[in-house]
Amino acid sequence: DIQMTQSPSSLSASVGDRVTITCRASQSISSYLNWYQQEPGKAPKLLIYAASSLQSGVPSRFSGSGSGTDFTLTISSLQPEDFATYYCQQTYSTPQGFGGGTKVEVK
Amino acid sequence: QVQLVQSGAEVKKPGASVKVSCKASGYTFTSYDIIWVRQATRQGLEWMGWMNPHSGNAGYAQKFKGRVTMTANTSTNTAYMDLSSLRSEDTAVYYCARGRSSSAYWGQGTVVTVSS
């Protein structure tokens, strides 16, 4: 199975900050990488698919990059509604596992 | 609009089975795979498997093989996830979602509690 490792597991930031979350795959997954945002008590929300494609309706402050084994989710200017937990997911092979999550908290 | 509506909360005893449903609307049901993901309290997301409503083909995470069955009824546009031999560690919120390459549409989640 491909292991997905996210870092950091949590971070504290302020509104307006630039935030970067990384995700590393245990083997190459090309660009088969999605990013999701999850608020407490809610279903995950797709932000980025295929490593760098912005899902329709998602604000442009979110961006994704990377290929192979190393990927990044960037929030260019953190907004109050962005305090949540973020997960990466590989869809290269079954099981299409998720990273452990990164909780973005108020500083 | 695309919607996935899941069945209500379940409380089961250890060793029992649970069947969670996921009714789809707003799109052609047979055109997209359905995946199932679960989340224990204060834990991360765990991918369980996928199924194709058109072909009936399914693929499961090794962890659940032998205990999980994913099916669909194309006449009612409903997908099902059946998990047997329940144990306390299966207590979680279970989600269905549309699409295997990326999942833009999710059900609201079904809480399954396993307790004696």
Side-chain angles (χ1 to χ4, degrees):
Chain A
D1 295 0
I2 297 174
Q3 305 304 313
M4 305 301 295
T5 304
Q6 279 184 243
S7 61
S9 56
S10 66
L11 64 89
S12 299
S14 301
V15 172
D17 285 353
R18 181 180 182 88
V19 169
T20 300
I21 298 168
T22 63
C23 179
R24 175 164 288 176
S26 60
Q27 66 184 74
S28 177
I29 58 171
S30 186
S31 296
Y32 292 90
L33 192 283
N34 301 322
W35 288 98
Y36 293 89
Q37 175 194 64
Q38 188 181 34
E39 298 176 58
K42 294 189 175 181
K45 174 186 175 183
L46 178 66
L47 299 175
I48 302 286
Y49 64 94
S52 60
S53 295
L54 190 68
Q55 173 66 14
S56 175
V58 174
S60 59
R61 63 181 179 272
F62 291 94
S63 64
S65 64
S67 66
T69 59
D70 294 315
F71 302 87
T72 300
L73 173 70
T74 300
I75 309 172
S76 60
S77 177
L78 197 66
Q79 297 303 298
E81 59 269 31
D82 300 338
F83 292 100
T85 301
Y86 294 82
Y87 295 93
C88 61
Q89 181 207 18
Q90 66 85 12
T91 57
Y92 181 80
S93 66
T94 299
Q96 297 178 332
F98 293 86
T102 297
K103 187 174 184 179
V104 177
E105 300 176 298
V106 177
K107 191 170 186 178
Chain B
Q1 73 282 20
V2 175
Q3 279 194 303
L4 298 173
V5 179
Q6 298 182 224
S7 48
E10 302 265 12
V11 179
K12 296 292 183 180
K13 292 196 182 302
S17 297
V18 68
K19 191 167 188 173
V20 179
S21 68
C22 171
K23 184 171 177 59
S25 61
Y27 72 98
T28 301
F29 182 58
T30 51
S31 293
Y32 295 86
D33 294 339
I34 294 286
I35 68 166
W36 290 88
V37 173
R38 75 178 187 179
Q39 185 172 38
T41 302
R42 288 183 292 278
Q43 299 299 308
L45 300 171
E46 183 173 30
W47 189 90
M48 299 180 68
W50 64 274
M51 73 88 54
N52 183 290
H54 175 68
S55 64
N57 291 340
Y60 309 131
Q62 184 66 37
K63 174 178 180 176
F64 300 102
K65 279 182 181 175
R67 282 209 304 145
V68 71
T69 305
M70 296 176 187
T71 58
N73 183 329
T74 56
S75 62
T76 61
N77 291 349
T78 303
Y80 298 93
M81 189 282 299
D82 200 324
L83 188 62
S84 63
S85 302
L86 290 168
R87 36 217 190 220
S88 59
E89 310 88 89
D90 294 318
T91 294
V93 178
Y94 289 75
Y95 293 102
C96 63
R98 188 190 85 167
R100 190 151 51 118
S101 57
S102 63
S103 306
Y105 298 97
W106 291 67
Q108 82 277 17
T110 296
V111 176
V112 175
T113 303
V114 183
S115 173
S116 54

